[in-house]
Amino acid sequence: MKYFDFAATTPLDPEAAEVYVQVATEYYGNSSSLHDIGGQSAALLENCREELAKLAGIDKQGLFFTSGGTEGNFLAVEALLSSPKKEGNHIIAGMAEHSSIHGVLNRLKGAGYEITLLPLNSNGLVDLELLVESIKPGTIMIALQHVNSEIGTIQPIEEIATICRLNGIHLHSDCVQSFGKINVNTIAPLVSSFSFSGHKIYGPKGIGGVYVDPHINWEPFFPGGSHENGFRPGTSNVPAIAAMTVAAQKITANLQEDHHRYRLLRKALIDSLEPIKEKVTIYQADDMSQVATIIGLRISGIEGQWMMLECNRLGFAISTGSACQIGMQSPAKVTQALGLTTTEAKEFIRVSFGRSTCFEDVVELGESIVTIVNKFSASAVIENN
């Protein structure tokens, strides 16, 4: 099986795996324990915190480890709301945010907060004029992902951070798809908080982190916790944190080289779809606002779920823009944000590249998609006759 779903998860890096086992067997003490074994674990934990903070260009005092991006998004939003810059109950978020953001927003709406969701323009970006127009005197927070997980567009977080600063608004950015993929150092110091996840960068599953500006006097959502300065409960997962740190060091060291390679792979896939280009719609921005590793597209007349299964049958693992919720197919949030019809939304598929993706496999995938489309079109003609 040739894997093209790296935006969903990545395989654990072998060096990170070795570090995980070593730390789990040699630094097994609880990092909150006061004896020497616990102290060794605590020292390693803080070394990891310092190293990750350097990689992201942030103050280590604001970096907290979590179980992943979902928990990180939830706790970050709650932390910011516990210490707003001004009075109010209005929150602005992207319509295409991850389900973890929509989950906490739904809870907040029930608690009396007013929520405004912003769509995306045809290039998959938030309209800054619309964002400014949406701000009210009582707007206290904006939540916008850095990179969209379905189509890979990069939101202009720097400009949005300036808007937030001028209006006394907290800004949270979900950086799960950008951390380790593009340079986040330029935006990390500008936001009130951001989240990231280990398993998107060849680290272990079940580990991630949140940065919250140390100047914010947040209150813990879970009272009485002693770990991570009270940010979250539960014993710190030091082996996973150490493994994630190694994975982060490796992936950030190759950002420039990887960027060039992924651009070539992206072009190769798009070029291979040329024979069916009249049926293909790719949702993307210009090169400066687009990560190369994620291609979100739809093929007119073919449901994404069917295309995914056909690709799977041929030995290619891709994903669709639909998730099964309570037994029903629900279109991905990005398709709603782009204004697609229900039929168009169901045609959406995603291809994402990673470290092991090679040029030949990309071309083979594209050619296989073309073959699938041509066979489908031919069978449709026969049925109509």
Side-chain angles (χ1 to χ4, degrees), residues 125 146-147 152-159 182 259 263 284-292:
L125 302 173
H146 191 196
V147 170
T153 49
I154 306 170
Q155 300 301 331
I157 297 298
E158 293 93 337
E159 291 91 332
I182 58 176
H259 175 78
R263 287 289 176 198
Q284 59 186 344
D286 60 57
D287 286 351
M288 296 300 294
S289 299
Q290 178 72 48
V291 295

Side-chain angles (χ1 to χ4, degrees), residues 40-108:
Q40 292 171 354
S41 183
L44 178 58
L45 174 65
E46 293 311 312
N47 283 340
C48 292
R49 195 186 314 276
E50 184 173 354
E51 178 59 28
L52 285 168
K54 286 180 181 178
L55 292 177
I58 55 176
D59 185 340
K60 68 176 182 178
Q61 299 301 320
L63 178 57
F64 306 102
F65 295 110
T66 68
S67 66
T70 292
E71 183 193 31
N73 282 331
F74 175 83
L75 291 178
V77 169
E78 294 290 352
L80 298 187
L81 293 180
S82 74
S83 182
K85 294 183 178 182
K86 61 183 179 182
E87 290 187 4
N89 70 339
H90 181 229
I91 299 171
I92 298 173
M95 193 180 293
E97 296 300 303
H98 187 266
S99 58
S100 58
I101 291 292
H102 284 284
V104 67
L105 292 180
N106 288 336
R107 190 189 75 80
L108 293 170

Side-chain angles (χ1 to χ4, degrees), residues 76-356:
V77 169
E78 294 290 352
L80 298 187
L81 293 180
S82 74
S83 182
K85 294 183 178 182
K86 61 183 179 182
E87 290 187 4
N89 70 339
H90 181 229
I91 299 171
I92 298 173
M95 193 180 293
E97 296 300 303
H98 187 266
S99 58
S100 58
I101 291 292
H102 284 284
V104 67
L105 292 180
N106 288 336
R107 190 189 75 80
L108 293 170
K109 188 174 181 179
Y113 283 85
E114 181 186 359
I115 311 296
T116 297
L117 298 179
L118 300 179
L120 302 178
N121 62 24
S122 59
N123 292 324
L125 302 173
V126 167
D127 186 321
L128 293 183
E129 289 187 11
L130 178 59
L131 184 147
V132 172
E133 291 172 1
S134 300
I135 294 175
K136 302 179 180 182
T139 303
I140 55 175
M141 188 181 74
I142 293 177
L144 284 172
Q145 58 193 184
H146 191 196
V147 170
N148 180 266
S149 62
E150 301 284 355
I151 60 176
T153 49
I154 306 170
Q155 300 301 331
I157 297 298
E158 293 93 337
E159 291 91 332
I160 295 169
T162 299
I163 293 169
C164 288
R165 186 173 63 252
L166 294 175
N167 288 275
I169 299 170
H170 280 314
L171 173 60
H172 170 68
S173 187
D174 176 346
C175 290
V176 165
Q177 291 291 346
S178 59
F179 183 77
K181 314 291 181 62
I182 58 176
N183 189 353
V184 300
N185 293 40
T186 56
I187 69 113
L190 304 178
V191 300
S192 301
S193 63
F194 75 86
S195 57
F196 61 95
S197 180
H199 76 103
K200 305 291 188 181
I201 58 169
Y202 306 91
K205 294 175 175 62
I207 195 67
V210 163
Y211 169 75
V212 180
D213 185 340
H215 297 98
I216 298 173
N217 296 315
W218 50 269
E219 296 290 332
F221 183 80
F222 297 105
S226 60
H227 299 279
E228 290 301 286
N229 201 28
F231 190 74
R232 73 182 294 267
T235 303
S236 297
N237 190 349
V238 180
I241 291 167
M244 177 175 67
T245 302
V246 170
Q249 289 172 323
K250 290 186 68 174
I251 197 170
T252 54
N254 295 313
L255 278 180
Q256 277 301 114
E257 181 181 338
D258 287 345
H259 175 78
H260 178 67
R261 187 172 76 88
Y262 290 135
R263 287 289 176 198
L264 293 177
L265 294 179
R266 183 184 186 88
K267 183 178 185 303
L269 180 63
I270 294 174
D271 287 349
S272 69
L273 297 176
E274 182 72 15
I276 56 169
K277 64 178 181 180
E278 70 281 355
K279 294 178 178 292
V280 177
T281 302
I282 299 174
Y283 298 96
Q284 59 186 344
D286 60 57
D287 286 351
M288 296 300 294
S289 299
Q290 178 72 48
V291 295
T293 53
I294 299 175
I295 302 180
L297 68 146
R298 68 179 181 86
I299 299 172
S300 180
I302 300 181
E303 287 201 7
Q305 191 79 358
W306 189 84
M307 175 60 72
M308 183 272 290
L309 292 172
E310 284 296 294
C311 285
N312 187 72
R313 185 176 61 81
L314 295 176
F316 301 97
I318 67 170
S319 67
T320 75
S322 297
C324 189
Q325 297 178 352
I326 321 178
M328 298 180 65
Q329 291 300 319
S330 178
K333 288 289 191 296
V334 73
T335 62
Q336 298 172 340
L338 290 166
L340 273 61
T341 66
T342 301
T343 299
E344 291 171 338
K346 288 182 178 180
E347 295 168 346
F348 187 86
I349 59 173
R350 180 186 68 186
V351 174
S352 47
F353 308 137
R355 187 177 290 167
S356 60

